[in-house]
Amino acid sequence: MNSLPKDVLVLMYQQLLESFEILKTQNTELMQKLTNIEEALAVNKGKLYGRKTEKSDSIPGQMAIDFEHFCIVNESELLVEELGSKEPTAEEVIVKRPKHYKSKKENLSNVPREIIPAIELTEEELKDLFPNGYKRLPDETYTEVEMRPATFLAKEYHVAVYASVPDKNGNVEFARGPRRGRLFGSDSIASSTLVSGIINGKYGNANPLNRLSTAFLANDINLSPQDMAGWCIKAADRYFQPLYELMHAHMLDESKLIHADESFFKVTEDLKVRGKNAKSYMWLYHSDTRYGCHPVFLYEYSPTRSSENPDRFLKGYSGILLTDGYQAYHKLANENPDKLTVAGCWAHCLRRYSNLIKAVSAQRAKGTVAKEAHDRIDAIYHVDNMYKELPPKERQKMRQKNVKPLVDAFFEYLKNVSPAIDKSSETGKAVAYSLNQEQYLREFLNNGIIPLDNNDALCSGYFYPHLLSRCA
């Protein structure tokens, strides 16, 4: 080294510095990638094994109807193992709706009651126990709840038939009395109570029709699953479809705001045609009395997630649409700016940061962007809920005064930290989602009837897309 010229040594030193900087940059990039992978793994682990009420798969923040993992065989064992078991009292079992706590007498007021007389002691036994005499006190009582399986009754209806006295030519005229209305025509044995029981068992209690058929057979009623399926379809076409259309028209005409959401699930026939990964969708639209319309939940099935679905369903609607960040709804609003306004869902925004916090634990999340963003959204919810019961105009005024500064600060914070965050990380994706949805997330500040989130659609009856569903 001592023999090398000075300019060569300087050149070698510069090359070493450049190599060091390159290695330093590469190391930083690799460490960032490793951090992103660890973060993504933690979030996915939380989705798979963490406690949750919603399931997501490939669509961030999107709910799914999970028909593949319902526990059928050992459901009872798992429930007891996870939640424990204790012997319920009669008052806990028999509850009059709505489910507010009431006295024992009120809880049992609508339940048929049978009084079982006391088993009395004989006079001889009483004399032995009370030689100096006794008096009868009020009976001690206790209650047991008895279950009586469903019963079936074959009702034979008679129709009056009349014949005239033969005329001089021997001709006879006949007449019949009026017939009672039949559910599916003169050849069907189906009654309204039978079909409604099948519908409730199949769609309300999620029992397969072959299982209902077996249960009916135990009561000496032999109904095939095919017969019951046919009745369900006829009931939907003949009775529920007109009701669906009426409710749909009423929603579009009367409601100032409609909740909308879509959920994917797998349909056997679609899998056969489109492959094992094919997804079908159930679209939900919901109105409420707060928006000037009767509470309505309408479901519409579609094999795709195309924007044509909400476009067709909402044709002619003028008002507010409260949704997640799916672009199809925004496209619809952009095409009808004078009629349709889209408001964003803060719950979807919050969930992305919640998932990050749950993935690394609350303790480790302290000081992170996810925790700060989560806490800021919590503050927005807390203040806004203070004005929940106010009339819309008053609520809007208070939102502008006390909630808007929190919203402004939230987006200002994200814009300041965004440049320093790797866009490919889970945190970066959450921040990008929030900033991309800013226009729609701010919309609730402009109208007092708009709730902060779409939870009315996500939580209320969402997993019961049964008879008021329309197949496209």
Side-chain angles (χ1 to χ4, degrees), residues 409-445:
F410 170 73
F411 286 112
E412 187 65 27
Y413 168 74
L414 293 186
K415 290 170 185 176
N416 289 335
V417 299
S418 177
I421 300 174
D422 183 3
K423 302 298 185 290
S424 64
S425 68
E426 294 297 317
T427 300
K429 292 174 184 177
V431 171
Y433 175 87
S434 302
L435 293 176
N436 290 338
Q437 299 299 314
E438 180 178 0
Q439 171 190 345
Y440 309 104
L441 291 172
R442 284 181 173 273
E443 193 60 44
F444 81 101
L445 297 170

Side-chain angles (χ1 to χ4, degrees), residues 174-423:
F174 295 91
R176 288 181 172 81
R179 287 175 172 265
R180 295 173 176 84
R182 306 290 296 278
L183 195 65
F184 299 134
S186 59
D187 296 330
S188 176
I189 65 168
S191 68
S192 58
T193 56
L194 178 59
V195 175
S196 62
I198 293 169
I199 289 171
N200 182 62
K202 164 65 177 170
Y203 298 100
N205 298 329
N207 282 317
L209 290 176
N210 61 338
R211 188 175 299 169
L212 290 176
S213 178
T214 302
F216 286 171
L217 192 59
N219 288 279
D220 299 324
I221 298 295
N222 186 15
L223 290 175
S224 70
Q226 292 81 2
D227 289 335
M228 292 189 282
W231 289 342
C232 291
I233 293 170
K234 285 181 181 178
D237 290 342
R238 186 172 298 187
Y239 297 105
F240 293 107
Q241 185 67 23
L243 175 61
Y244 183 102
E245 298 298 342
L246 182 63
M247 294 167 71
H248 182 198
H250 181 71
M251 175 188 284
L252 297 184
D253 292 341
E254 302 294 334
S255 188
K256 299 174 184 176
L257 183 148
I258 294 176
H259 292 267
D261 196 38
E262 78 291 340
S263 178
F264 68 84
F265 63 103
K266 294 184 178 181
V267 177
T268 303
E269 293 304 315
D270 286 348
L271 297 178
K272 293 177 182 177
V273 176
R274 296 158 53 204
K276 64 180 182 179
N277 295 321
K279 292 177 181 177
S280 300
Y281 290 84
M282 189 66 75
W283 300 72
L284 166 66
Y285 303 91
H286 166 52
S287 64
D288 192 78
T289 51
R290 292 168 294 170
Y291 319 132
C293 179
H294 286 295
V296 174
F297 287 90
L298 294 179
Y299 298 86
E300 185 174 52
Y301 164 78
S302 172
T304 72
R305 204 184 181 211
S306 166
S307 61
E308 295 176 358
N309 296 292
D311 188 15
R312 180 181 60 253
F313 186 93
L314 296 167
K315 193 173 185 62
Y317 174 65
S318 180
I320 301 165
L321 195 64
L322 182 56
T323 73
D324 59 16
Y326 183 35
Q327 187 60 33
Y329 302 116
H330 303 159
K331 177 175 178 289
L332 190 59
N334 292 335
E335 293 172 353
N336 302 274
D338 298 331
K339 292 185 176 181
L340 198 61
T341 299
V342 170
C345 173
W346 280 89
H348 279 82
C349 182
L350 178 66
R351 188 178 305 126
R352 293 168 180 266
Y353 301 110
S354 298
N355 288 341
L356 284 164
I357 294 171
K358 287 190 293 185
V360 300
S361 80
Q363 186 64 31
R364 289 179 57 194
K366 287 183 178 180
T368 63
V369 171
K371 185 65 168 65
E372 179 67 21
H374 182 279
D375 290 348
R376 288 176 179 268
I377 297 175
D378 265 355
I380 292 170
Y381 265 95
H382 176 74
V383 177
D384 190 71
N385 284 338
M386 294 167 61
Y387 316 122
K388 201 170 186 178
E389 303 303 323
L390 293 179
K393 287 187 178 180
E394 288 297 317
R395 189 181 188 191
Q396 180 186 355
K397 187 183 299 184
M398 298 308 293
R399 280 175 165 177
Q400 287 291 326
K401 180 181 178 182
N402 297 324
V403 182
K404 185 177 182 297
L406 298 176
V407 175
D408 292 341
F410 170 73
F411 286 112
E412 187 65 27
Y413 168 74
L414 293 186
K415 290 170 185 176
N416 289 335
V417 299
S418 177
I421 300 174
D422 183 3
K423 302 298 185 290

